[in-house]
C-alpha cells in the first residue's frame, strides 16, 4: 500500500482504506502479456500509481509511445519525478482516467490499474479498431476478475473475462455503503423464512460462484457478521442492494447440521433473487469466469455466456 484514504487523514483506524498500491509483480506480468506488447505500439495507462508499470511499458514499446494518467495530483507528481529521473520518456498527466486522454489518441493498447464496474466509452473511442483494452473487473458482490476487450468500429468492443484479479475500484465508481449506517434501520419489519440455500454458498470461498452471481445480479453486495450478539445466531450473512432499499439477513445457528433463517426487507425479496441466480449458475454447469464475455455498444453492456449463446445480463 502506498496511500490511504486518497491521501487524507482517517478519523478512525477502521476508516483507513487503501487508495493506491504497487501491484503484485505476477499480476503486472500477466496484464502486460494480455496486451501483446510490441515495440512502437501506442499505449495509454490509466492509473500511474508508483510509476513502475509505466516504466515497464516504456522499456517494451519505447517511452515516447507511453502516456500515463493519474487522478491524484500528489501521486502524479511523484511518479513524474521518478520516471523522469529514470530517463523513461513517459508522459505523465494528472486527470480523470475515466475520460481517457484524447491528446494522443488513437491508442493501440489501453491498460488499467484500477477495477471498473462499467467500461467508460471514452476508452473504446480512443482505441484503434483491433486494439486491446485490459482492465480489472469488479462487481459489488466480488472483486476478482480481469477483462480483455478488443475494440471495434463505432465505439464497440468485445472480449472475455478471466479470474484471479483484485484491484481497487476506480474512484468515480465507488460506493460507500455500510449495513447499519445506510441499509438496516430499527423501524423496518422484515419477513421471516427458511432458506434452501446456505449462506456459505454465497458468501464463502467459492469464488467462481460469487463471480457469476455478481455478473447475474449486478447491484447486490454482501457482508458477514460472525458475532452478531443475537441469541441462537452464530453467524449472519447480510445481503443488500446498492440503492440500500432492499436487504436480507441469513442466520446460521452454528450447530451440527446448521439450521438457517432468512429475514428479508424491501421492495425486492433479495434472498429469493440470490437463490434463483445460484440455481441458474448450477444449471449452466457452474461456469468459471472464462466462459463469460462482454459486448459493449456505446453505453450498452451485454454480459453473455458461452460464445454469446445465453444472455446473462444487460448492465444499466
Amino acid at each position: 500500500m502506498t496511500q490511504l484514504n486518497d491521501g487524507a487523514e482517517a478519523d478512525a483506524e477502521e476508516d483507513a482504506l487503501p487508495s493506491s498500491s504497487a501491484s503484485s509483480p505476477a499480476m503486472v506480468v500477466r496484464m502486460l502479456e494480455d496486451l501483446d506488447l510490441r515495440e512502437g505500439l501506442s499505449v495509454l495507462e490509466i492509473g500511474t500509481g508508483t510509476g513502475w508499470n509505466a516504466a515497464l511499458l516504456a522499456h517494451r514499446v519505447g517511452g515516447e509511445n507511453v502516456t500515463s494518467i493519474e487522478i491524484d495530483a500528489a501521486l502524479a507528481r511523484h511518479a513524474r519525478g521518478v520516471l523522469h529521473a529514470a530517463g523513461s520518456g513517459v508522459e505523465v498527466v494528472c486527470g480523470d482516467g475515466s475520460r481517457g486522454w484524447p491528446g494522443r489518441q488513437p491508442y493501440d493498447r489501453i491498460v488499467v490499474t484500477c477495477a471498473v464496474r462499467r467500461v467508460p466509452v471514452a476508452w473504446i473511442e480512443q482505441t484503434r479498431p483491433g486494439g486491446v483494452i485490459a482492465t480489472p473487473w469488479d462487481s459489488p458482490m466480488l472483486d476478482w476478475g480481469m477483462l480483455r476487450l478488443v475494440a471495434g468500429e463505432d465505439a464497440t468492443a468485445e472480449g472475455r473475462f478471466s479470474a484471479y484479479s483484485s484491484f481497487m475500484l476506480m474512484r468515480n465508481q465507488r460506493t460507500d455503503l455500510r449495513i447499519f449506517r445506510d441499509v438496516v434501520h430499527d423501524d423496518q419489519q422484515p419477513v421471516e423464512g427458511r432458506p434452501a440455500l446456505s449462506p456459505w454458498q454465497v458468501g464463502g470461498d467459492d469464488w467462481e460462484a460469487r463471480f457469476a452471481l455478481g455478473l447475474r445480479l449486478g447491484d447486490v453486495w454482501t457482508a458477514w457478521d460472525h458475532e452478531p450478539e443475537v441469541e441462537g445466531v452464530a453467524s449472519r450473512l447480510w445481503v443488500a442492494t446498492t440503492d440500500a432499499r432492499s436487504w436480507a439477513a441469513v442466520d446460521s445457528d452454528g450447530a451440527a447440521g446448521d439450521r438457517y433463517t432468512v429475514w428479508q426487507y424491501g421492495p425486492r425479496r433479495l434472498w429469493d433473487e440470490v437463490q434463483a441466480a445460484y440455481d441458474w449458475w448450477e444449471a449452466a454447469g457452474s461456469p468459471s469466469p472464462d466462459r463469460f464475455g462482454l459486448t459493449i455498444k456505446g453505453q450498452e453492456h451485454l454480459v453473455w455466456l458461452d460464445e454469446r449463446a445465453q444472455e446473462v445480463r444487460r448492465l444499466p
Side-chain angles (χ1 to χ4, degrees):
M1 300 303 164
T2 56
Q3 187 193 69
L4 299 174
N5 286 27
D6 301 337
E9 291 290 331
D11 294 331
E13 184 176 348
E14 60 268 22
D15 294 327
L17 301 175
S19 54
S20 186
S21 69
S23 299
S24 78
M27 181 55 63
V28 170
V29 169
R30 174 184 164 192
M31 292 184 72
L32 295 178
E33 289 179 339
D34 279 349
L35 289 171
D36 186 25
L37 296 169
R38 299 185 297 278
E39 186 173 355
L41 292 182
S42 175
V43 182
L44 174 63
E45 178 188 43
I46 309 294
T48 315
T50 64
W52 182 58
N53 193 63
L56 295 177
L57 290 167
H59 178 75
R60 187 70 182 90
V61 305
E64 70 279 7
N65 298 311
V66 178
T67 305
S68 185
I69 185 167
E70 170 59 56
I71 195 170
D72 188 290
L75 294 178
R77 185 165 53 249
H78 178 265
R80 187 181 296 115
V82 296
L83 286 164
H84 177 74
S88 71
V90 173
E91 179 183 14
V92 178
V93 295
C94 184
D96 182 353
S98 68
R99 299 178 181 177
W101 187 250
R104 299 179 72 176
Q105 67 173 320
Y107 300 98
D108 298 299
R109 303 288 187 268
I110 292 182
V111 58
V112 187
T113 65
C114 57
V116 296
R117 293 176 179 172
R118 290 184 62 88
V119 177
V121 67
W123 297 354
I124 302 171
E125 292 173 339
Q126 294 172 23
T127 303
R128 194 186 312 276
V132 175
I133 301 169
T135 179
W137 181 264
D138 177 284
S139 76
M141 178 72 72
L142 183 67
D143 173 22
W144 193 59
M146 185 67 69
L147 175 63
R148 184 184 188 274
L149 292 168
V150 176
E153 303 283 351
D154 302 322
T156 63
E158 187 168 274
R160 284 189 174 276
F161 296 97
S162 57
Y164 311 113
S165 163
S166 180
F167 281 72
M168 297 166 196
L169 191 61
M170 177 173 278
R171 294 189 184 189
N172 63 10
Q173 294 190 14
R174 292 174 179 167
T175 52
D176 179 19
L177 290 168
R178 304 188 188 184
I179 289 293
F180 294 112
R181 185 191 68 189
D182 305 308
V183 179
V184 178
H185 306 289
D186 291 340
D187 60 346
Q188 295 171 340
Q189 297 295 320
V191 175
E192 182 181 358
R194 293 288 179 187
L197 184 66
S198 158
W200 309 103
Q201 291 173 278
V202 175
D205 294 333
D206 192 339
W207 304 105
E208 293 189 349
R210 294 177 64 191
F211 180 86
L213 291 178
L215 291 178
R216 182 75 167 181
L217 297 168
D219 63 345
V220 176
W221 58 286
T222 63
W224 275 106
D225 187 351
H226 289 296
E227 294 181 359
E229 298 183 357
V230 177
E231 185 177 356
V233 178
S235 296
R236 171 174 286 174
L237 177 68
W238 291 99
V239 183
T241 54
T242 53
D243 66 5
R245 297 179 61 211
S246 299
W247 58 265
V250 186
D251 294 340
S252 165
D253 63 9
D258 261 343
R259 287 174 56 84
Y260 308 118
T261 303
V262 63
W263 307 87
Q264 301 191 77
Y265 176 84
R268 293 165 60 179
R269 288 294 176 259
L270 203 53
W271 193 252
D272 296 348
E273 291 186 25
V274 171
Q275 173 77 67
Y278 192 91
D279 291 345
W280 163 85
W281 177 71
E282 284 197 319
S286 305
S288 57
D290 57 8
R291 285 179 57 189
F292 293 96
L294 179 67
T295 299
I296 301 174
K297 296 180 180 179
Q299 296 292 341
E300 181 182 83
H301 286 48
L302 172 63
V303 181
W304 43 264
L305 177 66
D306 291 339
E307 306 296 341
R308 306 170 204 81
Q310 182 178 351
E311 180 178 319
V312 175
R313 187 169 183 270
R314 291 181 184 267
L315 304 188

